[in-house]
Amino acid sequence: MTRPPRILGAVLAGGASRRFGSDKALAPLGGAPMLDHIVKTLTPQVAELAICGRSWGKLRTLPDASAERIGPLAGLESALRYAATNGFGAVLTTPVDVVPLPHDLIARLAGPRPAVFEDQWLIGYWPATLHAPLARFLATGNRRWQAWMREAGTARVPEPHALHNLNTREEWAAVAA
């Protein structure tokens, strides 16, 4: 019987929150910062949890390899690099601003190739073997998530329920109410 790979959880949290107007990771939902909800849901699903693009409590911080602000692919690249060099078989990513996360992300996304939710592409399962291909992709100057998904042969999986991407204060207020 084949053992499932060790999976690194990676919260993509390096954005500037320009549309939100303040640090959305700190925006309260149900009395706790939004990021705490992500951490609470993701932690039991992975062998280790890290945060990309910022620091947060006792979580391992994975800085971007490049000083350029190139977006969420930089966070994915740092997570895949860490996974590939530390014995993880895959990375499970989620952004800091999508709630509520399913409690069974691995069962929904894991497989022989990368997979993301149909409408929430930053929630994904990425085999650690994709580190070198992503580094080469980024070296070309391409920063588009959709182009990377095509390059990696990423499957799109239906979301199990409505997921809310809270990019603006209005979106946050609707969910917080």
Side-chain angles (χ1 to χ4, degrees):
M1 182 172 161
T2 305
R3 292 182 65 202
R6 284 181 63 223
I7 298 174
L8 173 69
V11 181
L12 304 174
S17 299
R18 282 185 290 279
R19 288 179 285 172
F20 197 79
S22 65
D23 189 348
K24 60 184 156 184
L26 301 176
L29 280 178
M34 192 176 338
L35 183 52
D36 281 354
H37 292 278
I38 303 299
V39 169
K40 182 179 178 183
T41 304
L42 205 52
T43 297
Q45 299 186 57
V46 296
E48 183 180 336
L49 185 60
I51 190 161
C52 304
R54 69 173 307 143
S55 60
W56 187 261
K58 295 181 181 180
L59 287 183
R60 176 176 304 281
T61 299
L62 300 177
D64 294 347
S66 168
E68 283 183 62
R69 295 194 58 86
I70 62 173
L73 282 175
L76 176 59
E77 193 275 334
S78 67
L80 286 170
R81 179 176 7 94
Y82 180 81
T85 58
N86 289 280
F88 291 91
V91 174
L92 181 65
T93 58
T94 183
V96 69
D97 60 357
V98 175
V99 294
L101 286 178
H103 293 276
D104 60 350
L105 288 169
I106 294 172
R108 292 180 179 284
L109 296 170
R113 66 183 198 163
V116 297
F117 282 144
E118 284 176 327
D119 296 320
Q120 299 294 337
W121 305 333
L122 299 186
I123 300 174
Y125 177 86
W126 306 95
T129 55
L130 289 173
H131 171 252
L134 179 54
R136 285 190 300 273
F137 177 84
L138 291 172
T140 69
N142 199 328
R143 307 294 187 255
R144 297 192 39 83
W145 193 272
Q146 275 189 289
W148 166 246
M149 287 174 22
R150 280 191 304 277
E151 177 85 12
T154 306
R156 292 187 181 184
V157 176
E159 285 92 10
H161 57 264
L163 299 171
H164 305 283
N165 190 336
L166 309 180
N167 282 313
T168 66
R169 283 278 176 189
E170 294 75 23
E171 291 164 340
W172 168 79
V175 170

